[in-house]
Amino acid sequence: MVSRSNDVIVLLGAGASAKAGIPVSRKMIDDIEEFLRVRLDWQNFAELYHFVKCSIVYAASLRREKDIAGSYNVETLVHTLTEIEKGQAHPIYPFVSDWKSQLLALVGPGFQTVSAFREKIVDQLKAWVQPESKTKAKYYEGLKRLKNDLNFPLKIFSLNYDMCVEWLATDDFRVEAGFEPRGEELVWDWRRFDEANPNREDVQIYLYKMHGSINWKRDENDNLLAVDYTGSNIAAMKLPIIFGRDFKLEADDPYLFYAFEFRRSTLESKLILTVGYGFGDAHINKMISQAIRANANRRIVVVGHSKPEECEAKAKAVAGRLGVDVSRVSVLPGSAEDFLLQATIAKTVIGLVPQEEPGVF
């Protein structure tokens, strides 16, 4: 039985938006390497890129990681550039006796080349996460069908920067993303998610964008605003998103609030449904793992790009990553698009919700 607002919660990862034309991390790396070959405005960064990439892969091999290639992605790249860019301001700088001469030759005066390269990638992110047409994300309508068969608003936690969930909103289907109208602006206010908010009755989906959004910016008073345009007029390094940073639990809102809400919701849930999430975020994994361990009846359902014959092995891999018993993990075959296009998506999900143990009298 599904009876409470946290019985089923949804976590969206990058794979959920892939069919909408928004590249996953591996495709972003492929694009960067192509840009470095063919675009004049990127070619000055080619040597720096290949040096940093080789160093990241080499470090992964020293750690004896099982999936060395998988450990290298666009966020690892940007995070590494961010750390290098700190130069003498980096906490470990006084302990490093001799920075590699080849690196010093590539970073430019004052590490300016590193800064410019990182900004170039973040600026490209704005183009990556905006599909050419909203119709490419039409399969997200499956989330509407799922919600319409539940008797409470659906909570969706997204690790993506795109607008695919917001595009579900219509006059009679409200997606609450946390922004309060104040004059001509939309200002983020945590009270939009509060159960005591009198305006919550017509909410269909509560959307928690845990790593930020392409349509966010901050004003001179550090208020978080939602804007109509999706990032094209916001300077790359002023986008309030968590991209290429290893420490993803930011000590300010909305990120701290969203992390708290995700933790609370997982601990109250019966079923955690992940769509397109690759289990590469240590902070998210830890909260999911703690929730699974806290209740012997709680389950996690994984929707990714899995063939039927791969589901068992993937369930074991996810269970290993989370440190939980494989019996607590279910993997559904097919892609995120396949899953969301199901006419019977709600029946599928509700059928996977663990039933409460009958009381003993």
Side-chain angles (χ1 to χ4, degrees), residues 35 62 69 78 88 102 141 189 208 216 252 260 308 325 329-330 336 342 356:
F35 299 157
L62 290 179
V78 176
Q88 294 184 3
Q102 186 177 353
E141 295 278 346
D189 190 330
Y208 304 79
W216 290 1
D252 60 358
F260 172 81
D325 191 271
V329 181
S330 298
Q342 286 185 65
E356 295 181 357

Side-chain angles (χ1 to χ4, degrees), residues 343-358:
T344 58
I345 181 174
K347 182 179 179 180
T348 298
V349 172
I350 292 172
L352 290 166
V353 175
Q355 300 301 305
E356 295 181 357
E357 296 290 338

Side-chain angles (χ1 to χ4, degrees), residues 1-8 150-153 267-270 298 356:
M1 177 182 294
V2 180
S3 59
R4 301 173 301 131
S5 61
N6 280 336
D7 279 355
V8 176
L150 301 175
N151 59 357
F152 49 78
L267 289 171
E268 294 178 359
S269 67
K270 294 179 180 177
R298 186 171 293 127
E356 295 181 357

